[in-house]
Amino acid sequence: MIKLYRKKPVLRNAEFVREAGTISSRESVEPYVVDRGDIIVWDIDQKREDGWRVREDSFHSKYVPEGPLKRGEDGKYKALPELVLAEELKAPTTVTLDDCSKLQGELGDFRTHYPDGSTGIVNKIRMKEGYEEVLPEEQPNDLEFKWFRKLLERLLVWSSSLRKISHKLIAFLGGLILSRN
């Protein structure tokens, strides 16, 4: 079942890639390409090797520099609240990203759908630490919202060709909920 989650404002390390290369994450099936300008993000208490890639165009809408750090400098960044749809995996699953790299999720991990159109795999530990479920009482209780959410869930399940439309709806849904709280 797909549920609505909110990203918690947790601190992460971020390193801006200056030369193209590859990186492996816990979820990557094989090393995937990082381009100049991409950002490698990892948990504060983890090693860089446990990090994941975030494209520059979406990084700045998802993270802000912490303390005196300036945007674009390596260091600590705080995750901004963002609503995502996620479903807990009932079996090992492979997700192919837009650049054809693959992520592998295990039983209990989560497949995530972000407002910027990206999808991913988040392991169960990182999900507990970095996301919180948006409870039904926090969600608008009107008929339009319930219809809208049901439509969105069906679009995500239906077909990968409809993903771009569904991600625009996630962004709209997120703005609606965040503006009401």
Side-chain angles (χ1 to χ4, degrees):
M1 182 168 141
I2 298 173
K3 294 182 180 181
L4 189 62
Y5 288 84
R6 180 184 304 108
K7 243 179 153 177
K8 295 178 187 176
V10 296
L11 283 179
R12 307 267 192 225
N13 288 312
E15 178 184 301
F16 290 76
V17 176
R18 288 162 183 77
E19 280 188 41
T22 60
I23 184 172
S24 293
S25 70
R26 288 184 219 178
E27 294 84 13
S28 62
V29 173
E30 55 202 27
Y32 52 93
V33 174
V34 289
D35 295 316
R36 188 173 196 275
D38 287 347
I39 297 89
I40 300 171
V41 178
W42 67 97
D43 295 332
I44 292 293
D45 61 345
Q46 301 290 321
K47 297 178 184 166
R48 179 186 179 277
E49 293 74 31
D50 294 324
W52 59 95
R53 175 197 62 207
V54 178
R55 297 289 188 197
E56 185 176 22
D57 57 344
S58 64
F59 178 81
H60 297 296
S61 64
K62 294 179 180 216
Y63 297 93
V64 292
E66 182 68 10
L69 193 67
K70 290 187 175 51
R71 186 176 156 163
E73 295 179 337
D74 295 349
K76 291 180 176 40
Y77 283 74
K78 185 185 294 184
L80 293 170
E82 177 180 40
L83 293 176
V84 302
L85 289 176
E87 53 192 320
E88 188 172 348
L89 300 179
K90 304 299 181 207
T93 302
T94 301
V95 172
T96 303
L97 303 179
D98 290 341
D99 66 356
C100 296
S101 57
K102 296 182 185 316
L103 300 177
Q104 175 70 42
E106 302 301 327
L107 175 69
D109 290 346
F110 289 79
R111 179 177 183 158
T112 53
H113 308 276
Y114 296 94
D116 67 0
S118 60
T119 194
I121 297 287
V122 177
N123 72 49
K124 56 188 153 212
I125 295 168
R126 187 170 288 132
M127 192 72 180
K128 284 182 183 176
E129 293 171 352
Y131 297 82
E132 59 189 355
E133 187 176 345
V134 177
L135 302 173
E137 58 267 18
E138 295 178 84
Q139 299 177 22
N141 198 18
D142 50 38
L143 188 59
E144 292 87 6
F145 176 81
K146 289 178 180 177
W147 176 87
F148 179 76
R149 176 145 186 229
K150 193 57 97 179
L151 171 66
L152 181 57
E153 289 172 358
R154 287 191 177 138
L155 282 173
L156 287 170
V157 171
W158 252 350
S159 165
S160 60
S161 65
L162 296 174
R163 290 232 196 301
K164 290 193 187 255
I165 295 169
S166 62
H167 289 293
K168 290 184 187 306
L169 292 172
I170 294 170
F172 177 77
L173 177 65
L176 182 67
I177 291 174
L178 291 175
S179 69
R180 291 186 179 192
N181 290 336

